[in-house]
Amino acid sequence: MRLHRLEITAFGPFSGTEEIDFDALSGAGLFLIQGQTGAGKTSVLDAVCFALYGQVPGVRNAIKNLRSDHAAPHQAPRVVLETTIRGRRFRISRSPAWERPKKRGTGTTTEHASVILEERAHGDWIGLTNRLDEAGDLIGRLLGMTAAQFCQVAMLPQGEFASFLRAGAEERRKVLERLFATEVFTQVEKWLADRRATTRREAADLRSAAESVADRIAEAAGTQRPGRSLVPEPRQAEPPDESLDDIEILPAWAAELAGHHTTIHTINETLLAEASAAHETARTTLESARTLAERQHRHAEALRRRHTLEERAEERSRLTARLDAAARADRVVALIKQVRERAERAKLTHREANEARSRVASLVTPGAAADVLAKAERERRDDIAALEGKRGSADRLRRITSELADLYGERDRLEPEEAKLAATLDELPGVVDEQRAQLDEARIVVAGRSGAEAVLQEAARRLDAARRRDQVTARLGQAEEALRDAIDVAQQARERFQDLRQARLEGMAATLAEDLTPGEPCRVCGSTDHPAPATSLGLIPGEEDEERANTAYEQAQTRREETSGLVESLRAERDAALEVAGEADTATLGADVAEAQEALAAIDARTAHLERMERQVHQAAQELERVRDRRDEIARVLTTNHARHGELSAEQARLTAELDKARGDDPTLEARIDRLGHEADALAEAVQALQTADRAADELAAARARAKQTAADEGFATPDDVMVAALEDEDQAALRDRIRRFDNEEAAVKEILADRALIAAAAQPAPDLSALEAALAIAQTTRTAIASAADRARKRRERLAELRTELTTRVHAWRPAAERHALAARLAGLTSGQSGANRLSMRLSAYVLAARLEQVVAAANERLARMSAGRYALLHTTDKAAGDRRGGSGGLGLRVVDAWTGQERDPVTLSGGESFITSLALALGLADVVTAEAGGTEINTLFVDEGFGTLDEETLDEVMDVLDALRDGGRAVGIVSHVAELRTRIPAQLRISKQRTGSTAAVTV
């Protein structure tokens, strides 16, 4: 990356617009940024970092207010940077959030941060994006490093590296974690710790499952499982790792129980077979006796039913004779009923014929025959046919009359409308022109709606961000308090664990001394003499106590890391909200939203009015066109109306004369046709009635003859005898059912009395059923008791077999789980630095950072040797600092080797100048390592900030030689300092001058 031009406006101490030509400064390779204290030398570096990342280095970024206090109230702060990154030239224009005076009224409103990213291509600047996130993502990907890494690599803040040089391991770890991505190793540590807890739970759960199955086996067998104490043991927070022996004996114990219960089941099955045979014999004997008794009862009952049938023989004969008479009467009853129906119909038709003849008495002579009536009907039908031909003329006359009425109505309706339309056409064109002019004026007023809407959206976004900021700030305070408590708890747990381990180590000698016996060799040294065995005055903690303390510490540490992660998450969320909302309170932002809403509402009101005016103009133009079309249409219709009226009037007069002649004395043609039709219909009805009456009389005589002959044939003297003998179908069915029951009963009795089995049973003596039932009950009770015992033995055997299989599966599953837990525990202890196998007591993440620090030290010593004339060199150590009780923090120590004395020194013993050159070498070495870590992005413009005033002339020469060597390959180095000697050494300078009205910048080469 190479800087070309920087333009600063109302930023930091610069009240106006200052332009810095880095191309001119870089041409000399080494340039000086000099000025009085507080003039704004560091602010130039802040402007470069802000242009690239939207933030300034270090604690200054938390202030948020980057606008110059010296600038005019309406002057917007802005930074424009032209730079080349990976061969591509960019121009970045970025403005921070700031409070500007409101355009209307008093007070201020917030202008949000903005950015414009452009790239130079083919001689023109081409816009890439104006989104903050897209611009930051593109710059970050091209540079390959974060803002913190860039500030460490390109701006070399000496004050921070002096602190880094003298810091403890924990503070140094925080700086390195910020520069190097070691999250993956921290995640590995956490994953292994979680894996250790998970495998411990899995092994304990599987062991409990196997013991639970064994308990169920003992319960099913009514015994106690091996290894189970009758007194319940106290519950432990974490189950200890136990041997396999007490679990392995359980399958053999279960197999022995199963064999014992199999023998019991076999004995019960033998007894059950004997009892079942005795029960079956008793049941068979009882069923045979019951069958004999039932057959004897059926034979006796059949004899009783036969005697009853013989007593009712006369009743059966009477029923048969009555049913035969009813059957013969059925063949005559229908004919008698038909005679009665014919008589009623003949009487009715005779009466109807007399009534029909009376209705036409005025049309023919009284008592006229049917043929006279038929002739009169035909005459009237002929007249109707002649008049039907005139119906078309009558219809045509009615249509003409109706059409003439419609023409008169149309003329009365259209003539006033025509006059009204003519008056409208005189006024409407002027109205349309006036409305169009008003519409053009309104369109100009509402053209600024998009800008007002954008202002409202931005104000609402900042208000939402401010509300989130306040909520997250409150939650952050609670989380930070919880983090402090978690740190205290973790530290106490760590100290407890270490104290227990130390006490246990100190008490091991006393424990071994308790087992010493005079004359027998010691298990440690082999000596048979024990002159002074160790003793312990206090209680010696056991391995389980140490493990519980370690577990408590791990849990507290996990809680601490989780709380720390929550705090970092809330801080990031708060910073994101601050990036949008700034420090403004919600009341002020709410007022800005209300103001923007009012402005937009006013424009919306004008917009709604504009839409209504557009509709009015459109409607007025359409109305003008419609009126013109309607007037022309009415003129055409009236012309056609007058012509048609004349034609219809002549045809109406001709048809009226023709129809008056055809209707005669009747009022209308239809009335004459209707009258003749009614008379013809009445004559036809009279003819039909006379003919129907004659047919009914003939049918009556024939029916009477048939009924009389049929009755005589069936043996009845008169029709009344027939009706007496007749029965309804329901009564005949009842008689047939009674006769059928007699027949069925007789057949059934005969069949039973003919059964040889029943005859043989009747000849035998009656069985004693009570005694046989008592014997069966005794046999069944005995069998039930034995079957219940056998069933219990079978279920117990099956249950034990099922539980044996499950127990074997559980025991086999427990062993690999225990082995997995042992492996996970070893790895977790190794990566957390708490295992004895970790000789350095370093966490994995600390080990990786130590490797990075070792690379930094190697790169720094190349320059420190030159700047210190070969006297000093940095040494990376893996020892923890004194008093550092944090687990796994070793590996980040720094010492200074003095070649003159051959001794190692603590960095805090260096003088001011020595600290400067050492920290400068460390900063340059870290820049090289971070650059390589970030993908090798070349930084062609470096800045070194302050510290040169502490150097003597010789050392200053060495430092300048080192910095001058940085220019190899076209790199430019800017030194930020107010040391007077550097002004004569470095001719290319950026001079920053401060005044009451703000600072200014000038380039001299």
Side-chain angles (χ1 to χ4, degrees), residues 5 346 349 507 578 648 798 887 950:
R5 188 180 71 89
T349 56
L578 283 170
L648 293 179
E798 293 175 351
T950 60

Side-chain angles (χ1 to χ4, degrees), residues 719-892:
D720 293 335
D721 294 339
V722 174
M723 299 307 295
V724 170
L727 287 174
E728 295 293 336
D729 292 342
E730 293 81 359
D731 296 335
Q732 292 184 33
L735 290 177
R736 283 192 292 271
D737 290 341
R738 293 177 64 186
I739 294 171
R740 187 181 303 109
R741 284 196 294 272
F742 275 113
D743 295 339
N744 293 340
E745 180 71 8
E746 182 179 8
V749 169
K750 288 181 180 180
E751 182 180 359
I752 293 173
L753 292 177
D755 190 340
R756 297 186 179 209
L758 297 183
I759 295 172
Q764 297 181 16
D768 187 358
L769 295 179
S770 298
L772 295 175
E773 288 175 351
L776 177 62
I778 294 172
Q780 185 172 0
T781 301
T782 303
R783 179 184 176 279
T784 301
I786 296 175
S788 178
D791 184 63
R792 287 195 299 272
R794 178 185 57 79
K795 289 182 178 178
R796 187 178 294 112
R797 185 194 65 176
E798 293 175 351
R799 179 62 174 162
L800 289 175
E802 177 184 349
L803 292 176
R804 280 183 59 203
T805 302
E806 184 178 356
L807 177 62
T808 302
T809 302
R810 297 291 187 185
V811 170
H812 289 171
W814 177 72
R815 180 181 292 277
E819 294 173 353
R820 286 195 299 271
H821 169 59
L823 177 60
R826 287 196 301 272
L827 289 177
L830 184 64
T831 56
S832 64
Q834 299 167 359
S835 172
N838 189 332
R839 292 175 299 172
L840 299 178
S841 296
M842 293 175 59
R843 292 170 51 184
L844 177 61
S845 57
Y847 181 79
V848 174
L849 291 177
R852 292 288 187 270
L853 181 58
E854 191 173 5
Q855 295 174 350
V856 172
V857 168
N861 282 333
E862 295 180 3
R863 297 181 174 90
L864 180 58
R866 292 184 57 187
M867 289 188 287
S868 65
R871 177 179 180 181
Y872 292 115
L874 286 170
L875 176 65
H876 165 239
T877 68
T878 59
D879 298 332
K880 292 197 295 185
D884 188 356
R885 303 179 64 88
R886 176 179 171 85
S889 296
L892 300 180

Side-chain angles (χ1 to χ4, degrees), residues 11 104 106 162 201 225 294 336 380 382 500 540 573 579 599 630 690 839 852 897:
F11 184 88
R104 290 178 295 184
T106 59
R201 288 193 298 270
R225 73 169 169 85
E294 190 269 336
I336 294 174
R380 283 165 174 75
D382 294 339
L500 285 176
I540 301 174
E573 187 175 357
E579 182 69 22
R630 181 60 179 163
L690 289 174
R839 292 175 299 172
R852 292 288 187 270
V897 178

Side-chain angles (χ1 to χ4, degrees), residues 85 283 306 355 468 529 725 741 823 873:
I85 305 175
R283 184 186 62 78
R306 185 178 64 180
E355 292 175 356
R468 290 197 309 273
D529 296 329
R741 284 196 294 272
L823 177 60

Side-chain angles (χ1 to χ4, degrees), residues 179-250:
L179 294 176
F180 299 102
T182 61
E183 295 85 355
V184 64
F185 303 102
T186 304
Q187 293 171 1
V188 168
E189 295 174 12
K190 184 178 183 303
W191 184 87
L192 286 173
D194 294 342
R195 181 62 178 169
R196 174 176 56 191
T198 301
T199 54
R200 177 185 289 118
R201 288 193 298 270
E202 291 176 352
D205 291 344
L206 290 173
R207 179 185 182 88
S208 298
E211 292 176 345
S212 175
V213 175
D215 289 338
R216 282 183 282 161
I217 292 176
E219 180 182 0
T223 183
Q224 186 79 14
R225 73 169 169 85
R228 182 176 179 88
S229 175
L230 297 178
V231 179
E233 299 178 357
R235 181 174 179 85
Q236 299 178 353
E238 293 290 345
D241 296 336
E242 301 182 15
S243 65
L244 301 176
D245 296 340
D246 55 347
I247 299 298
E248 290 288 354
I249 66 175
L250 293 179

